[in-house]
Amino acid sequence: MDEVFKALADASRRSLLDRLHARNGQTLNELCEGLAMTRQAVTKHLAILEQANLVTTFKHGREKLHYLNPVPIHQIGERWIKKFERAKLVALSELKRQLEKRDE
Amino acid sequence: MDEVFKALADASRRSLLDRLHARNGQTLNELCEGLAMTRQAVTKHLAILEQANLVTTFKHGREKLHYLNPVPIHQIGERWIKKFERAKLVALSELKRQLEKRDE
DNA sequence: TTGACATGCAACCATTTAGTTGCCTATTGT
DNA sequence: ACAATAGGCAACTAAATGGTTGCATGTCAA
């Protein structure tokens, strides 16, 4: 779980996930196109995404195909966001109560 | 959005959010209790959470009260996770298709 | 009013991180 | 066979990050 959050912390990596979401199964070079980064930098980002299990790869000849694995992202929603859903419901009223308490 | 993801990337900060979720409106010193960190380190974490709008604070006399703001977390779910929900549904079949393609 | 308590500010340090360059290996098409 | 293509590995650098210590400020309570 820690690795997933850390992987998602970087904007370049989120954009790589966006690209895979737009078209799944891209090669490393395809993912590099149009980015202001060297191929090696992208390789490192993909390795981090892979270690967080957000991306799965298959080798096909000399190419490496990258696939988005949305399951960990879904788990964030399941385990973490839902935890704060109820809090969201009462947030406004709590803040309101606090603002009144402030004038004591 | 970038700030929210970065704020969530650190385990200490997520645990601070957990603590606030368990009991909202704690002071800085209360949030420090039992942590293997100096007060100043916690202050920095809370500042990052505040800047990401995940925590809101009110000063009450000499105390600073910290409140969880779950809205940005909820927005992650809205804007980002749902984007990958459909992808999750087709992920397995896509992977399967790829595995077959591999043997061409 | 003065000491204790709650917090703020700033300088400093070590580690991690994001990126680079340079070179090596493996596969493919002609 | 061999040049071009796709990717891998390692060393290095600059900047960001997470943490510390030391001191200053503001508020409360006796």
Side-chain angles (χ1 to χ4, degrees):
Chain A
M1 185 54 97
D2 192 80
E3 284 183 319
V4 177
F5 277 110
K6 283 204 172 158
L8 292 178
D10 187 88
S12 303
R13 286 193 287 270
R14 291 199 302 278
S15 124
L16 284 170
L17 292 183
D18 287 342
R19 280 166 156 246
L20 285 180
H21 182 248
R23 188 162 62 86
N24 216 359
Q26 295 187 63
T27 68
L28 173 57
N29 270 328
E30 283 171 339
L31 287 170
C32 287
E33 276 166 24
L35 291 187
M37 249 186 298
T38 58
R39 173 177 57 82
Q40 287 82 351
V42 176
T43 301
K44 284 193 185 178
H45 283 307
L46 288 172
I48 290 169
L49 290 170
E50 206 174 342
Q51 212 165 340
N53 204 29
L54 283 161
V55 162
T56 313
T57 61
F58 300 97
K59 265 200 218 156
H60 187 67
R62 65 179 158 181
E63 295 179 333
K64 192 174 186 183
L65 303 172
H66 297 77
Y67 286 82
L68 173 65
N69 178 19
V71 175
I73 294 180
H74 185 255
Q75 287 176 339
I76 290 181
E78 289 294 310
R79 300 187 196 168
W80 224 67
I81 295 187
K82 279 190 180 170
K83 190 192 242 176
F84 295 103
E85 294 270 290
R86 204 196 314 179
K88 189 200 165 202
L89 296 176
V90 298
L92 281 177
S93 59
E94 251 183 42
L95 292 179
K96 206 171 180 182
R97 191 158 44 80
Q98 182 54 35
L99 284 169
E100 292 160 1
K101 196 178 167 186
R102 208 182 166 190
D103 299 326
E104 282 174 9
Chain B
M1 185 55 97
D2 192 80
E3 285 183 317
V4 176
F5 277 111
K6 282 205 171 159
L8 292 177
D10 187 88
S12 304
R13 287 195 286 272
R14 292 199 300 276
S15 125
L16 284 171
L17 292 183
D18 286 342
R19 280 165 157 244
L20 285 181
H21 183 248
R23 188 161 62 85
N24 216 359
Q26 296 188 62
T27 69
L28 172 59
N29 270 328
E30 283 171 340
L31 287 170
C32 288
E33 276 165 24
L35 291 187
M37 249 186 296
T38 58
R39 175 178 56 81
Q40 287 82 347
V42 177
T43 301
K44 283 194 186 178
H45 283 308
L46 288 172
I48 289 170
L49 290 170
E50 207 174 339
Q51 211 165 342
N53 203 30
L54 284 161
V55 162
T56 313
T57 60
F58 302 97
K59 264 199 217 157
H60 187 66
R62 64 179 159 181
E63 295 180 333
K64 191 173 184 183
L65 303 173
H66 297 77
Y67 286 81
L68 173 65
N69 179 18
V71 175
I73 294 179
H74 184 255
Q75 287 177 340
I76 289 181
E78 289 294 312
R79 301 188 195 167
W80 224 67
I81 295 186
K82 280 191 178 168
K83 190 191 243 175
F84 296 103
E85 293 271 290
R86 204 195 316 179
K88 187 198 167 203
L89 295 177
V90 298
L92 282 178
S93 59
E94 250 183 42
L95 290 179
K96 206 170 181 182
R97 191 157 44 81
Q98 182 53 36
L99 284 169
E100 291 161 3
K101 195 176 166 188
R102 207 182 166 191
D103 299 325
E104 282 175 9

